[in-house]
């Protein structure tokens, strides 16, 4: 909302860049929420251009409505719901999504799981560190 409200947006350049990045559905959801919830001035033509197929949008919308953005009675998009949302807004196939979730690129692994001695860490060690953090993330305190 703030970016659109506070800046002059070159919508043609925006949609070209979004398409090149492969994040059309993510951008659509973000802009739709800003427009719907906050009244952000997003051109209808842009939303139509970025819109996912109707069936996909129906599932996305249903999930977001069930999670009630403004309700405070429970945590939002936890566990399987977060994974389902990520799959719904992903441009790649579910298999490519799963592959990148299980085996992120080496550069990303080094950036997120290396210490200052990054050059001495093997990729296998970084994957092991990631698996350990994932496995211990939700343990009881």
């Amino acid at each position: 909302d703030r970016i659109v409200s506070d800046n002059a947006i070159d919508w043609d350049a925006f949609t070209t860049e979004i398409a090149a990045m492969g994040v059309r559905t993510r951008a659509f959801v973000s802009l739709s929420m800003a427009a719907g919830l906050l009244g952000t001035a997003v051109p209808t033509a842009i939303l139509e251009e970025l819109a996912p197929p109707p069936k996909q949008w129906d599932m996305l919308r249903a999930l977001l409505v069930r999670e009630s953005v403004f309700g405070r009675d429970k945590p939002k998009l936890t566990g399987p719901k977060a994974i389902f949302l990520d799959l719904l807004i992903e441009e790649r196939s579910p298999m490519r999504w799963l592959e990148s979730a299980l085996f992120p690129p080496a550069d990303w692994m080094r950036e997120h799981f290396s210490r200052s001695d990054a050059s001495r860490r093997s990729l296998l060690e970084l994957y092991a560190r990631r698996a350990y953090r994932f496995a211990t993330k939700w343990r009881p305190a």
Side-chain angles (χ1 to χ4, degrees), residues 15-30 47 49-53 56-57 60 83-98 100:
T15 53
T16 299
E17 186 71 21
I18 290 299
M21 292 171 58
V23 293
R24 296 170 63 88
T25 304
R26 289 176 191 270
F28 170 79
V29 171
S30 180
L47 292 174
E49 184 176 341
L50 296 174
Q56 182 182 0
W57 176 231
L60 265 165
I83 293 169
F84 185 55
L85 174 64
D86 203 51
L87 278 167
L88 285 173
I89 60 177
E90 180 58 54
E91 302 294 321
R92 299 170 296 174
S93 72
M95 288 306 292
R96 295 283 299 157
W97 175 88
L98 182 60
S100 68

Side-chain angles (χ1 to χ4, degrees), residues 36-59:
L37 297 173
L38 304 172
T40 306
V42 178
T44 303
I46 297 303
L47 292 174
E48 289 171 354
E49 184 176 341
L50 296 174
K55 193 172 206 169
Q56 182 182 0
W57 176 231
D58 288 345
M59 289 188 292

Side-chain angles (χ1 to χ4, degrees), residues 63-120:
L63 177 61
L64 294 172
V65 167
R66 275 193 314 271
E67 290 299 297
S68 181
V69 174
F70 294 113
R72 296 188 175 158
D73 57 333
K74 63 182 177 140
K76 307 294 179 231
L77 293 166
T78 57
K81 292 177 200 169
I83 293 169
F84 185 55
L85 174 64
D86 203 51
L87 278 167
L88 285 173
I89 60 177
E90 180 58 54
E91 302 294 321
R92 299 170 296 174
S93 72
M95 288 306 292
R96 295 283 299 157
W97 175 88
L98 182 60
E99 177 186 340
S100 68
L102 295 176
F103 303 106
D107 291 344
W108 186 90
M109 290 295 294
R110 286 190 179 89
E111 179 183 334
H112 289 84
F113 294 97
S114 288
R115 296 184 182 132
S116 59
D117 57 349
S119 61
R120 293 184 291 166

